[in-house]
Amino acid sequence: MLRIVKKARGTPKGRGVEPQALQEVRALLGTAPRRRDLLIEHLHRLQDRFGHLSAARLAALAQEMRLSMTEVFEVATFYHHFDVVKEGEAAPPALTVRVCDSIACELAGAQALLRRLPAILGKEVRVVAAPCVGRCEAAPCAVVHQNPVGNATVEKVRAAVQAKKLGCAEPAYLDYVAYRKAGGYRLIADCLAGKRSRDEITQAMEDSGLRGLGGAGFPAGRKWRIVAAEPAPRLMAVNIDEGEPGTFKDRWYLERDPHRFLEGMLVAAWCAGVGEIYIYLRDEYAGCRAVLERELAKLRKNPPCALPPIHLRRGAGAYICGEESAMIESIEGKRGMPRLRPPYVAQVGLFGYPTLEHNMETVYWVREIVQRGADWFASHGRHGRKGLRSFSVSGRVKKPGVHLAPAGITVRELIDEYCGGMQEGHEFYAYLPGGASGGILPASKGDVPLDFDTLQPHGCFIGSAAVVILSQRDKAAAAAKNLMRFFKDESCGQCTPCRVGTAKALDLMQHKSWNQPLLEELSQAMMDASICGLGQAAPNPVQCVMKYFPHEVQ
């Protein structure tokens, strides 16, 4: 029998590599490791340096990382912030202006900006609509390269473009030296010195009633115990990819007191027996990324105690990566597509190891709770609820922003006591209690306590406590269309109910009179069959409009 022996390939399959492109990629990467999990980081280097990702450089990167062109291309085209230029296509202009058109910015006039800016800025500047950039308190917001322009007007954006400041603006914050002087990192040092026990601190978290503040609301202390019970090695992944329209609390705290978050993260990792930490920060927060890079360097240079390896990873513009397993896929250098569960990430998470996954704000409260006592945190609350909540409030109020208020406060109380009331000429009409996916309620439901488990009977949930206020000048149906457009654009496409359902729902919602029976049937299919929370929760605003605002869609 004749046997044909195939010679092993010396390089991965794919297009030929141009020598100049390969030289550019090698020079840019330098001595950086070529590991698979660093693919997105290396794509960012190319994008930052050249302003786009050419086919030639993608092929060179694929060869350098020993990956197929398909693997590199599918990741590069998955994320919004990578500009992939195929052969024969023109590269985009050197400067891009992104105008947020999510719900808070649309209420504040984003569409007018999108219509006017292209003609005023000229062909040398690209103007594109962008999903929520996490600055809803300063709506409408535009981002010039990496610089946010809050309360944007045509004049302010044009001035930012003419200034040609392509670096990111950084906030004023409590730095490492100031934080240490105020007693910072004493808690984690005491933990490692044996002055505190893991059980003592975990019990304090349980007694305080602290729950995950990224949206799911799983009890923090219980999560620590679950992960600690898994075999070592264990990892930790901190989720700061708050892409939910209306949410900006994580950025708010990072811009002011980053080390309080870092110390809480270290304490949580120690309690759960974690040996390595990954921080996943959304790409829109360039100023926060610069702060974290600088302050982590200071922390490592003059550590208060032994530190585990801490890695800062950069998102690339994908709302779906706020889902914990999609975030883990992205950290591993892949498309951010949610995993089927079980197994859960606490059992099989990052790189296949048990993983403690937390939202940034959850660990931000750890030091405060331990120092002041669990009873201090639990003593706050209204209407039978316990704890504190950071409400990201935007829309038609006089004082938008992050307001720290008792859990269980009603939206009417929140508006009157914390937000300075409604804007002049606006009357409270409706509100989103939990961002894009949390549903829409009428003003008549304005006395429902805002907390976990209180809104579900009304077809809503609090999620990450992103509250968007609508007035009599707005329409709930228009808000729901804005949200469904967002979900359609942000669906990862992995499962048919979400990928097709969001598109079909948006089409049906374009009509003045909605086909409500068909929308109801479609919503139920999405909720029952979608893999993750995006598709499962996307119908919430639609169903709320049909239930509470039927006069708008009949």
Side-chain angles (χ1 to χ4, degrees):
M1 174 186 285
L2 178 64
R3 297 183 62 188
I4 301 176
V5 179
K6 291 185 178 181
K7 184 179 179 180
R9 293 182 59 88
T11 58
K13 285 185 178 181
R15 55 166 286 155
V17 177
E18 297 177 10
Q20 182 180 348
L22 184 60
Q23 184 179 358
E24 291 171 342
V25 168
R26 285 175 174 172
L28 192 60
L29 298 188
T31 60
R34 271 59 166 172
R35 299 195 315 268
R36 176 67 169 82
D37 63 288
L38 292 174
L39 173 57
I40 293 173
E41 296 295 307
H42 294 339
L43 288 171
H44 273 304
R45 291 189 182 201
L46 290 171
Q47 175 84 24
D48 291 345
R49 171 63 180 83
F50 299 104
H52 64 279
L53 300 174
S54 68
R57 295 189 187 103
L58 287 178
L61 180 63
Q63 177 171 310
E64 192 68 8
M65 297 189 70
R66 307 293 298 169
L67 298 171
S68 69
M69 183 61 175
T70 300
E71 290 176 282
V72 174
F73 188 80
E74 70 177 9
V75 172
T77 53
F78 181 85
Y79 296 92
H80 295 314
H81 291 184
F82 292 140
D83 293 313
V84 177
V85 177
K86 301 175 184 177
E87 287 192 48
E89 292 182 345
L95 183 62
T96 295
V97 173
R98 289 183 166 86
V99 178
C100 175
D101 67 349
S102 286
I103 181 64
C105 287
E106 183 166 276
L107 292 175
Q111 294 303 324
L113 278 177
L114 283 166
R115 287 193 299 270
R116 296 180 61 195
L117 281 174
I120 291 172
L121 298 180
K123 295 182 179 179
E124 299 303 312
V125 179
R126 178 177 58 163
V127 178
V128 297
C132 186
V133 297
R135 296 184 179 272
C136 315
E137 83 282 11
C141 186
V143 181
V144 179
H145 188 58
Q146 294 183 336
N147 282 304
V149 179
N151 302 120
T153 62
V154 169
E155 292 72 23
K156 289 173 72 173
V157 174
R158 179 166 54 189
V161 169
Q162 291 173 345
K164 295 183 179 179
K165 293 180 180 179
L166 299 186
C168 57
E170 296 179 23
Y173 61 93
L174 193 69
D175 69 2
Y176 182 63
V177 173
Y179 184 78
R180 288 290 300 272
K181 284 183 178 178
Y185 291 108
R186 191 174 300 156
L187 173 59
I188 184 60
D190 287 348
C191 290
L192 292 178
K195 297 179 182 179
R196 301 272 193 167
S197 71
R198 287 183 169 89
D199 187 67
E200 168 197 355
I201 295 180
T202 303
Q203 189 64 51
M205 294 302 108
E206 293 176 332
D207 293 342
S208 72
L210 179 67
R211 296 172 67 169
L213 299 174
F218 193 86
R222 191 192 308 172
K223 183 180 284 191
W224 296 2
R225 293 193 189 278
I226 290 171
V227 174
E230 294 293 323
R234 309 174 196 91
L235 303 178
M236 182 176 186
V238 182
N239 194 334
I240 321 181
D241 193 65
E242 57 174 359
E244 181 84 5
T247 308
F248 49 93
K249 62 183 179 61
D250 292 351
R251 172 189 60 80
W252 187 276
Y253 287 123
L254 273 178
E255 288 180 342
R256 289 156 176 79
D257 198 356
H259 286 282
R260 188 172 297 271
F261 146 64
L262 291 173
E263 183 172 13
M265 174 189 76
L266 291 170
V267 172
W270 176 75
C271 285
V274 164
E276 197 163 351
I277 301 172
Y278 288 78
I279 302 171
Y280 189 85
L281 179 68
R282 70 181 310 205
D283 194 35
E284 288 85 347
Y285 293 170
C288 291
R289 184 171 66 253
V291 167
L292 280 177
E293 287 172 347
R294 181 184 306 111
E295 296 306 308
L296 280 170
K298 294 177 183 178
L299 178 63
R300 294 185 184 106
K301 186 177 180 180
N302 182 27
C305 55
L307 300 173
I310 302 172
H311 310 276
L312 179 60
R313 291 295 177 86
R314 181 178 171 184
Y319 165 71
I320 192 62
C321 290
E323 197 276 340
E324 61 179 8
S325 65
M327 174 192 66
I328 284 173
E329 289 286 299
S330 189
I331 292 175
E332 292 179 355
K334 306 171 188 173
R335 294 175 294 170
M337 304 185 96
R339 298 175 179 177
L340 292 170
R341 288 170 288 188
Y344 297 95
V345 298
Q347 303 162 312
V348 182
L350 188 56
F351 305 120
Y353 297 117
T355 301
L356 176 65
E357 189 275 343
H358 262 316
N359 168 255
M360 173 265 164
E361 195 208 347
T362 309
V363 295
Y364 180 89
W365 288 108
V366 169
R367 177 188 164 191
E368 199 87 356
I369 290 172
V370 173
Q371 290 183 335
R372 296 197 180 196
D375 291 341
W376 165 80
F377 189 81
S379 67
H380 295 83
R382 292 187 187 177
H383 307 294
R385 312 304 297 179
K386 292 183 178 181
L388 290 166
R389 293 304 302 265
S390 300
F391 293 94
S392 305
V393 186
S394 60
R396 307 298 192 180
V397 293
K398 289 181 179 177
K399 291 172 56 180
V402 172
H403 298 289
L404 184 62
I409 193 172
T410 70
V411 73
R412 290 188 187 277
E413 293 168 337
L414 189 64
I415 293 170
D416 294 339
E417 298 176 32
Y418 290 84
C419 302
M422 298 290 292
Q423 294 174 357
E424 296 299 330
H426 291 267
E427 298 174 8
F428 181 36
Y429 173 67
Y431 68 107
L432 284 65
S437 56
I440 306 174
L441 289 175
S444 61
K445 298 291 183 183
D447 295 320
V448 177
L450 296 173
D451 198 16
F452 297 113
D453 312 319
T454 59
L455 294 157
Q456 279 85 337
H458 306 283
C460 297
F461 59 82
I462 193 169
S464 58
V467 179
V468 184
I469 306 299
L470 308 182
S471 78
Q472 84 283 7
R473 301 186 186 184
D474 307 311
K475 295 292 184 182
K481 280 188 277 191
N482 177 285
L483 303 176
M484 188 58 72
R485 185 181 72 240
F486 171 81
F487 290 130
K488 170 184 173 291
D489 292 342
E490 295 297 324
S491 173
C492 74
Q494 180 178 192
C495 66
T496 302
C498 178
R499 181 185 67 251
V500 177
T502 52
K504 181 62 177 177
L506 183 60
D507 288 342
L508 292 171
M509 294 165 72
Q510 301 300 334
H511 300 280
K512 184 176 181 180
S513 179
W514 290 6
N515 185 337
Q516 296 190 44
L518 185 55
L519 273 170
E520 187 66 48
E521 184 179 354
L522 179 61
S523 296
Q524 195 62 52
M526 292 171 65
M527 292 187 292
D528 289 344
S530 295
I531 289 175
C532 81
L534 192 156
Q536 294 164 9
N540 285 344
V542 179
Q543 293 191 307
C544 285
V545 168
M546 293 190 294
K547 180 177 181 180
Y548 297 114
F549 307 91
H551 58 283
E552 292 190 15
V553 295
Q554 289 177 346

